[in-house]
Amino acid sequence: MRKKTIISASDNIILNLKVLAEEKEGVRLKLVVTAAKLAATAEKLAAIAKKKEGVRLKLVVTAAKLAATAEKLAITAKKREGIRRRKLAVTAAKLAATAEKLAVTAKEKEGVRHRLAVTAAKLAATAEKLAITAKEKENVRRKLTVIASELAAAAKEKESVRRKLVVTAKEKEIVRLKLVVTAEKLKRSYEMLERKVFERTKDLEMARAKEEAILLSIGDGLLVTDEKGNVIIINKTAEKLFSKNSKEVVGRVFSDVIFLEDEKGASIPSEKHPVNVALATSAATATGPTYYCVREDKTKFPMAIMATPVVLNGKVIGAIKIFRDITNEREIDKAKTEFVSLASHQLRTPLSAVNWYTEMLLAGDVGELNEKQKKYLDEVYRSNQRMVELVNALLDVSSLELGTFVMEPESTDIIKLAQSVIDEQKPQIHAKRIHFSFLSKRKVSPMQVDPKLLRMVLQNILSNAVKYTPGGGKIRLSISLVDKKNILLKVSDTGYGIPNNQQDKIFTKLFRADNVRDKDTDGTGLGLYIAKSIVENAGGKIWFTSSGEVAGVRASRMAGGEENNGTTFYVSLPLDAAQRESTK
Amino acid sequence: MQAPKTVLIVEDEKSLREAIVDILRLKNFLPLEARNGREGLELAFSKHPDLILLDLIMPEMDGMTVIKKIREDAWGKKVLIIILTNLSAINGHMVADAMAHRPTHYLIKSDWKLHDIVRKIETILAA
């Protein structure tokens, strides 16, 4: 819009200039005409002045002639002297007067002429001036024309420029429109981006808050440190357990804020704090010995700690400590132990009473019994004996399963221990006329095992061999060293063997193979289960080979009690106590 | 003929206590009976028996306390003590604690025949 007004304004100016030039041209032409008229008038006046000059000169000549005539008349008059002279004088005088009058007129005429000449000169000058003016005007006109043409050219140029500008403007308009569209698009995508960023930020914040909430809400105590042990996070449970606000802890070296001591109340040096161990060794560390956490008010609680290094790109950048108050577990453990103790005590007491009284009766301590009485009491005694064994086995199993078995490895002479187990079995071995041999090639140096538990293992295996080998069979026990790392106990018999299809169940609790169940009703089905539990707990292995019977063959053997290939049990135990620890 | 050896039986369970008393009498011992730890301790200090059969789990005072107190005494330091209990030897701390006070033997009642116990006592006292 503004461009248009500019363009029309310049057009107006050009138009005005043209009109002005035309007007000036008109004026100039009028001036030229006026000048010409003036020149003509001046010429006429000059001609009139010339004529008057001629008249004057004629008058002068006439006057001179009249004067000569008058003189001649005067001479005539003189001659005619008398009346004529007077008439002539008068006439002369008259003529003189007329001449004089004519002279005056001439003189006047001369003035007029002079005046006319002056006027003519003035007019000529004016005409000249006018001519000059006209010339100047002409120049001005020319200049104006030039200017007009220049202006026209300029206008033309302006027009083309304007056109170009219009084109440019149009192009610019298009560009502008495109820009507007682009700007709009940009604006939209910017807004979208903004919205997305906002949403993403919100999502991220939510996710972060969620993660933080998850971390902070973990039911176990959580403490995270950087690689120098400075606390980064502790969660709510940790705050509660430590009776400390996270603000008091975060940013500080954890061992300056959290104090640990062992069961005897000796404080744990900071380098033994699981977190420091994890940081130092880059390995997850669980508390073996129970540590107590001591609060500021000196109250304490037992703590199970698991410290794990935080590894990023192969570098330890911190540690996570998960811990919990195990007061309850402790109490439960204690209750379990107490239950086993109490049960063992309570169950065994009446059994002991039956045992001892039947024993005294059978021994005749209070008088002889007849055969029938003896037989019956013997049944009572043996049944009671079985009950005792069953209770013992059940207590062992429950101890094993409750984890109340305390492994107390001590330096043990395994040969001596084996010998004492054999001695216990001697009565049965002799009663069944079993050929027993004990092979120990070399003297075995004492090893670190729990003698009570190893005894149980050996008792179970050996008593099984004795129980399930028919009279007159063979049992061989050997102890040897394998790889200088493991001790191998081997018990082979020529007994009934374990049926092929039941070999995989032989270590199962309360399982008894069909063939021996028929043969001997005494077993509890717990012995091998107990043996396996103990051996594996000690980091060892237990396995067997057995000829395995076919049902038909078994029947014939039952009938004939003949010797067969029997079973061999192997127990391998590590000599190295450390190795045993690691398998726990 | 030697004067009979005195054996103090500290056992809260009447039937068991009486069985032991009977057999010991039969085998020419002089049995002393205590129905709980406290009585046992009193009798031990007043009668200075040659040997003490001590149960562990008892009312009033348990066997653990009894053996500790006896071992604190000048006479008690050397007296022969057989722990005769039904508390499994595999049951942790209490047993370990008891063993720390040097009983001569730790016998499980239900695993031992009365006659074997008497033989054990005879061997120990003869040594």
Side-chain angles (χ1 to χ4, degrees):
Chain A
M1 280 298 280
R2 250 191 86 210
K3 283 242 160 97
K4 267 184 187 166
T5 53
I6 289 166
I7 287 158
S8 65
S10 75
D11 283 354
N12 278 341
I13 291 165
I14 291 162
L15 211 67
N16 286 340
L17 282 169
K18 270 184 187 167
V19 170
L20 204 65
E22 267 162 36
E23 273 172 11
K24 293 252 160 148
E25 179 66 13
V27 171
R28 192 187 64 83
L29 284 175
K30 275 181 196 164
L31 282 172
V32 169
V33 171
T34 311
K37 278 182 186 164
L38 283 173
T41 310
E43 233 163 297
K44 273 182 195 164
L45 283 173
I48 292 167
K50 237 179 185 166
K51 269 185 199 160
K52 296 255 166 146
E53 181 66 18
V55 171
R56 195 189 57 89
L57 284 173
K58 274 178 194 163
L59 283 174
V60 169
V61 169
T62 309
K65 275 176 185 169
L66 280 171
T69 311
E71 222 159 310
K72 270 172 196 168
L73 279 164
I75 295 155
T76 319
K78 249 168 195 175
K79 276 174 192 171
R80 278 185 202 163
E81 258 271 8
I83 323 175
R84 243 179 180 177
R85 223 190 87 189
R86 263 179 144 171
K87 270 178 184 177
L88 280 165
V90 170
T91 310
K94 272 180 187 175
L95 281 169
T98 307
E100 216 162 308
K101 273 178 190 170
L102 280 171
V104 170
T105 308
K107 230 177 184 175
E108 274 171 9
K109 295 259 169 159
E110 178 64 13
V112 169
R113 194 202 51 87
H114 194 69
R115 263 185 257 150
L116 277 171
V118 170
T119 308
K122 277 180 183 167
L123 282 172
T126 307
E128 215 161 314
K129 276 179 191 163
L130 279 171
I132 289 160
T133 308
K135 227 175 185 173
E136 280 170 0
K137 293 251 163 148
E138 176 63 16
N139 282 341
V140 169
R141 193 191 60 83
R142 272 191 199 134
K143 280 181 190 159
L144 279 172
T145 307
V146 170
I147 289 167
S149 67
E150 277 174 6
L151 279 169
K156 222 173 181 179
E157 221 165 271
K158 285 212 172 164
E159 179 62 16
S160 79
V161 168
R162 192 187 63 81
R163 276 198 195 125
K164 278 184 194 161
L165 280 172
V166 167
V167 171
T168 311
K170 261 183 192 158
E171 280 169 2
K172 287 212 171 165
E173 181 64 16
I174 290 164
V175 170
R176 193 186 65 82
L177 284 172
K178 280 185 188 162
L179 280 172
V180 166
V181 170
T182 311
E184 195 67 28
K185 277 186 191 159
L186 274 173
K187 198 181 163 193
R188 240 177 291 144
S189 49
Y190 173 75
E191 277 169 2
M192 223 153 75
L193 264 177
E194 184 117 299
R195 207 166 47 234
K196 268 191 187 158
V197 166
F198 178 73
E199 279 165 10
R200 217 22 89 72
T201 310
K202 220 164 125 189
D203 286 353
L204 279 173
E205 274 169 5
M206 271 300 288
R208 214 190 119 93
K210 217 169 166 186
E211 273 167 19
E212 204 171 297
I214 289 169
L215 268 184
L216 292 182
S217 311
I218 290 172
D220 281 351
L222 171 89
L223 181 145
V224 183
T225 74
D226 64 13
E227 75 281 7
K228 284 175 189 145
N230 295 309
V231 177
I232 300 168
I233 304 170
I234 74 164
N235 72 348
K236 286 171 202 153
T237 314
E239 283 184 320
K240 219 155 90 188
L241 285 174
F242 293 144
S243 304
K244 270 192 174 137
N245 196 298
S246 94
K247 281 176 200 151
E248 302 169 60
V249 181
V250 170
R252 299 185 61 186
V253 175
F254 79 95
S255 53
D256 291 349
V257 205
I258 289 133
F259 303 100
L260 296 180
E261 60 181 41
D262 64 16
E263 239 150 316
K264 286 168 190 149
S267 73
I268 310 289
S270 94
E271 72 270 12
K272 287 206 174 147
H273 278 229
V275 169
N276 279 335
V277 175
L279 285 174
T281 62
S282 308
T285 315
T287 37
T290 305
Y291 289 154
Y292 284 78
C293 176
V294 187
R295 299 191 185 95
E296 230 155 60
D297 60 3
K298 299 293 167 210
T299 58
K300 48 183 161 179
F301 63 91
M303 207 184 195
I305 303 172
M306 180 75 191
T308 333
V310 181
V311 180
L312 186 71
N313 300 329
K315 217 177 129 198
V316 175
I317 57 158
I320 300 174
K321 171 173 150 181
I322 302 275
F323 56 94
R324 67 205 154 79
D325 180 349
I326 52 168
T327 309
N328 284 343
E329 282 97 323
R330 281 280 169 117
E331 277 166 7
I332 289 164
D333 273 352
K334 213 175 143 211
K336 279 185 198 166
T337 314
E338 277 170 1
F339 170 77
V340 174
S341 304
L342 210 71
S344 68
H345 190 254
Q346 302 294 53
L347 288 169
R348 281 162 163 176
T349 299
L351 292 173
S352 306
V354 176
N355 251 359
W356 290 352
Y357 284 103
T358 45
E359 188 197 327
M360 284 193 288
L361 283 171
L362 283 168
D365 288 339
V366 286
E368 281 302 312
L369 303 177
N370 65 35
E371 281 310 302
K372 209 74 176 168
Q373 287 168 330
K374 259 190 185 165
K375 193 178 173 289
Y376 288 3
L377 267 179
D378 206 45
E379 284 301 324
V380 172
Y381 185 75
R382 285 206 289 117
S383 296
N384 198 59
Q385 217 44 74
R386 273 183 64 191
M387 194 68 167
V388 169
E389 271 167 37
L390 189 61
V391 168
N392 283 350
L394 283 171
L395 286 171
D396 289 346
V397 168
S398 74
S399 282
L400 278 171
E401 288 181 348
L402 292 173
T404 53
F405 253 141
V406 185
M407 289 278 278
E408 286 165 338
E410 53 186 77
S411 182
T412 307
D413 183 341
I414 193 158
I415 310 280
K416 217 165 147 186
L417 188 137
Q419 194 58 59
S420 93
V421 175
I422 294 163
D423 290 346
E424 277 175 13
Q425 300 286 328
K426 276 269 166 70
Q428 286 90 332
I429 291 169
H430 289 316
K432 288 178 91 171
R433 293 174 292 104
I434 286 171
H435 303 284
F436 185 87
S437 58
F438 178 26
L439 265 156
S440 173
K441 280 186 182 167
R442 56 163 99 182
K443 197 179 180 296
V444 180
S445 52
M447 62 182 287
Q448 287 290 320
V449 287
D450 186 319
K452 294 190 294 291
L453 297 180
L454 185 59
R455 167 178 284 271
M456 280 168 72
V457 173
L458 211 52
Q459 265 173 350
N460 274 310
I461 296 172
L462 203 59
S463 68
N464 275 353
V466 174
K467 243 187 256 177
Y468 305 126
T469 297
K474 283 183 196 161
I475 294 174
R476 171 186 288 198
L477 168 65
S478 74
I479 294 174
S480 58
L481 211 58
V482 179
D483 304 337
K484 294 187 177 172
K485 279 182 189 164
N486 295 290
I487 194 133
L488 183 72
L489 287 93
K490 190 171 151 190
V491 180
S492 41
D493 62 42
T494 54
Y496 308 124
I498 301 161
N500 269 336
N501 62 343
Q502 293 186 320
Q503 290 189 354
D504 57 334
K505 293 186 191 131
I506 203 70
F507 291 111
T508 311
K509 183 163 56 174
L510 296 170
F511 175 80
R512 298 195 66 213
D514 292 339
N515 58 344
V516 298
R517 213 156 55 181
D518 295 343
K519 184 79 187 157
D520 169 84
T521 48
D522 254 16
T524 58
L526 291 169
L528 287 176
Y529 172 75
I530 291 167
K532 188 172 160 52
S533 299
I534 293 171
V535 168
E536 287 181 351
N537 226 328
K541 272 185 259 174
I542 182 167
W543 69 99
F544 65 90
T545 57
S546 181
S547 62
E549 297 177 329
V550 186
V553 180
R554 179 181 9 134
S556 76
R557 273 177 195 150
M558 294 290 185
E562 68 204 41
E563 187 182 299
N564 54 46
N565 293 329
T567 306
T568 305
F569 269 91
Y570 302 86
V571 171
S572 142
L573 287 169
L575 285 174
D576 183 5
Q579 198 181 329
R580 195 159 43 241
E581 279 303 308
S582 67
T583 57
K584 264 190 183 174
Chain B
M1 195 166 158
Q2 270 187 331
K5 299 275 188 184
T6 46
V7 175
L8 171 63
I9 300 129
V10 190
E11 168 64 65
D12 60 317
E13 190 69 31
K14 183 168 169 277
S15 61
L16 297 184
R17 188 175 65 243
E18 284 177 359
I20 299 167
V21 167
D22 285 356
I23 192 81
L24 285 176
R25 248 187 218 125
L26 266 172
K27 302 290 179 185
N28 296 316
F29 287 95
L30 189 65
L32 299 167
E33 289 179 69
R35 290 167 302 170
N36 55 53
R38 191 180 45 75
E39 272 186 24
L41 196 62
E42 282 166 12
L43 277 173
F45 288 147
S46 61
K47 308 279 183 178
H48 284 189
D50 297 301
L51 188 140
I52 301 167
L53 280 177
L54 182 64
D55 191 13
L56 284 183
I57 298 177
M58 289 181 293
E60 304 248 353
M61 186 189 285
D62 64 28
M64 276 309 311
T65 319
V66 175
I67 195 168
K68 275 183 197 162
K69 287 195 184 288
I70 289 173
R71 289 301 185 217
E72 281 165 16
D73 181 78
W75 161 82
K77 253 178 217 167
K78 288 180 205 159
V79 70
L80 298 167
I81 299 174
I82 292 175
I83 291 176
L84 183 62
T85 182
N86 265 329
L87 196 67
S88 257
I90 50 168
N91 277 314
H93 302 298
M94 193 168 179
V95 174
D97 211 3
M99 296 303 283
H101 292 92
R102 298 172 283 111
T104 316
H105 286 278
Y106 188 103
L107 309 179
I108 302 291
K109 286 180 231 175
S110 59
D111 293 348
W112 281 76
K113 290 184 180 177
L114 262 188
H115 290 94
D116 290 340
I117 295 168
V118 174
R119 268 197 284 279
K120 200 100 210 166
I121 293 169
E122 286 169 340
T123 331
I124 292 167
L125 285 176

